[in-house]
Amino acid sequence: MKLNKKSSELVYTGRAFSVRKDELVTPDGKTVYYDVVDHVGSVSIVPVDDSGNLYFIRQYRPSVDEWLLELPAGTVEPGETFENAATRELREEAGMRADKITRLGAYYLAPGYCTELMEAFLATGLSEDPLPPDDDEYLEVIKIPFQEAYGLANNGQIRDGKTLAALWLAKPLLG
C-alpha cells in the first residue's frame, strides 16, 4: 500500500542532491509531511589485488568530524552508468584501474529520508592508473590484507555503512 502524494515542494538544489518536502495522505485520510533528499545515485568499490589485499581510503568527513576508513566510492555523474562511475572513482580515489569490474549488488543508504541507491562492485586485476582527485578530497590510500579488513569491520573499527555493506556483499567472492 502506498501513500498518495498530495504535493511536493523543492526546497534546495545542490551538486549531488536536492531536498524536497512532500505532503502525503495516509490510507486513513491523515496528512503527513516528509523531507526527502533526492540523490542521483552512487557507487562503492571493493578493490582487491592478486595478493588478497583490499584498498581503502582514509578521509576526513566533516559531517561526523572524524577520519573514516572507507572503500573507494562516489557519486554517479550525469549520463554516466554505475559501472563507468565505479571505474572512474577507483582511479580518482585509489589511483587504480581494474581489468575486471563485477557488480555485487545495490542498496539504499538511508531510505528513511533519502533516495540514494548505491551499487557495489568488486574490482580485480588492479594496476596503477590515477586520475586527479576531486578538489575537496584529501585521501590516504591504505592497503589491508583481506582477513584483517574483515577483522576491522567485525570489531567496529570500520564505521562507514556503505563500506560495511560492500564488504559483506564481496565476502562470498573473496573466500
Side-chain angles (χ1 to χ4, degrees), residues 42-48 54-57 70-75 82-94 96-98 100-105 107 118-124 126 160 162-167 170 174:
S42 57
V43 295
S44 185
I45 307 100
V46 183
V48 59
L54 303 182
Y55 288 76
F56 288 83
I57 306 302
E70 306 175 15
L71 289 168
T75 301
F82 281 88
E83 186 173 324
N84 287 344
T87 299
R88 176 184 48 75
E89 287 291 346
L90 179 62
R91 291 181 65 206
E92 285 179 3
E93 294 197 352
M96 307 294 264
R97 175 182 297 280
K100 186 174 181 185
I101 296 279
T102 305
R103 185 180 181 277
L104 297 170
Y107 41 89
M118 175 169 272
E119 289 200 16
F121 294 87
L122 179 67
T124 56
L126 302 178
D160 175 57
K162 69 183 177 308
T163 295
L164 293 169
L167 282 174
L174 298 176

Side-chain angles (χ1 to χ4, degrees), residues 11-132:
V11 177
Y12 168 81
T13 301
R15 180 185 62 79
F17 65 87
S18 60
V19 179
R20 70 176 198 258
K21 184 175 211 69
D22 287 351
E23 181 181 6
L24 304 170
V25 179
T26 64
D28 62 357
K30 293 180 187 168
T31 299
V32 293
Y33 297 91
Y34 288 92
D35 295 328
V36 178
V37 175
D38 274 322
H39 193 282
V40 296
S42 57
V43 295
S44 185
I45 307 100
V46 183
V48 59
D49 67 18
D50 294 338
S51 299
N53 296 300
L54 303 182
Y55 288 76
F56 288 83
I57 306 302
R58 186 172 180 268
Q59 69 178 320
Y60 178 71
R61 293 298 192 174
S63 58
V64 294
D65 192 25
E66 288 184 33
W67 286 88
L68 296 180
L69 191 60
E70 306 175 15
L71 289 168
T75 301
V76 176
E77 298 292 336
E80 188 175 44
T81 67
F82 281 88
E83 186 173 324
N84 287 344
T87 299
R88 176 184 48 75
E89 287 291 346
L90 179 62
R91 291 181 65 206
E92 285 179 3
E93 294 197 352
M96 307 294 264
R97 175 182 297 280
D99 288 338
K100 186 174 181 185
I101 296 279
T102 305
R103 185 180 181 277
L104 297 170
Y107 41 89
Y108 290 105
L109 290 177
Y113 62 87
C114 186
T115 64
E116 183 175 5
L117 180 68
M118 175 169 272
E119 289 200 16
F121 294 87
L122 179 67
T124 56
L126 302 178
S127 58
E128 286 190 36
D129 189 16
L131 285 173

Side-chain angles (χ1 to χ4, degrees), residues 2-16:
K2 290 177 76 171
L3 302 184
N4 293 319
K5 189 183 294 188
K6 190 173 179 182
S7 68
S8 187
E9 174 191 358
L10 184 62
V11 177
Y12 168 81
T13 301
R15 180 185 62 79

